[in-house]
Amino acid sequence: MKNDAQEKMSKAFIMYSILMIGAFSFIFIEFADEVIEMELRSFDTPIMQYIHELRTPLLGIIMSGITSLGSVTGIMIGMSIALILLFINRKWWEGLFLIVAVAGSSLLNYYLKWMFKRDRPTFNPLITESGYSFPSGHSMVSFSFIGILAYLLTLMVKKKSLKVLIMALFFFIVFLIGFSRIYLGVHYPSDVIAGFAAGGAWLVICIVALKFKAKI
């Protein structure tokens, strides 16, 4: 009976994973298609104008701090701390998959930016960024990094309420990083959403691979 229950849970996990990958991929493809056809102005412009109207000197400082969490330096510092803690606790495979999640997401983002070559917004940016805009690297890599961390943490706690809190914090932090990119004027909203979608698809793939490795 126990094996049957585990088999049903595994099948359900695989099914939900495929659905999530499909959903994330669909969202990304939809925005990518609009980028190619250059038909996102009516979507991006009103959102950017509304968010830019919220600008204040204090909020600008806060958003600059938040956006640094998703920078290369911020991710590297966070990953180094996480890897040290994982390896101290002899979580070798978890540490490896954390590296794969971040490195794979970064490389994929670099390739996608090169493929679409979308220029960054020029409407009153508060900071200067180089490189192409679509999809947002901060959004994509932070989704993968913080997402795999959140997943590993949920495996280590037993209380359902703590699991829910961890996932809520994951979504909140990732949302703030994406929001900060729009607020600072260095990404279009569609860049951020597409970054979340691509990062989400890659995150699910990494989690499935980690779960499969645990069964070997």
Side-chain angles (χ1 to χ4, degrees), residues 95-172:
L96 176 61
F97 274 92
L98 176 61
I99 294 171
V100 170
V102 174
S105 182
S106 300
L107 290 172
L108 180 59
N109 181 259
Y110 178 83
Y111 170 76
L112 291 172
K113 282 180 179 291
W114 176 84
M115 185 170 68
F116 290 101
K117 293 184 173 66
R118 187 186 197 187
D119 292 329
R120 290 183 181 272
T122 56
F123 177 70
N124 196 24
L126 297 183
I127 61 174
T128 302
E129 291 280 13
S130 60
Y132 294 114
S133 187
F134 183 92
S136 165
H138 277 61
S139 302
M140 184 172 172
V141 179
S142 64
F143 199 106
S144 301
F145 169 59
I146 301 175
I148 198 75
L149 273 186
Y151 175 72
L152 294 175
L153 285 173
T154 59
L155 295 180
M156 298 176 188
V157 300
K158 294 183 178 180
K159 287 187 177 181
K160 188 175 181 179
S161 58
L162 280 178
K163 293 178 184 288
V164 173
L165 177 60
I166 289 169
M167 295 309 298
L169 284 173
F170 154 65
F171 284 112
F172 182 65

Side-chain angles (χ1 to χ4, degrees), residues 46-73:
I47 298 174
M48 292 184 70
Q49 288 177 341
Y50 175 78
I51 292 176
H52 289 182
E53 288 175 0
L54 302 176
R55 286 176 171 177
T56 66
L58 177 59
L59 193 54
I61 295 173
I62 294 172
M63 288 295 124
S64 295
I66 291 172
T67 208
S68 66
L69 296 175
S71 67
V72 173
T73 302

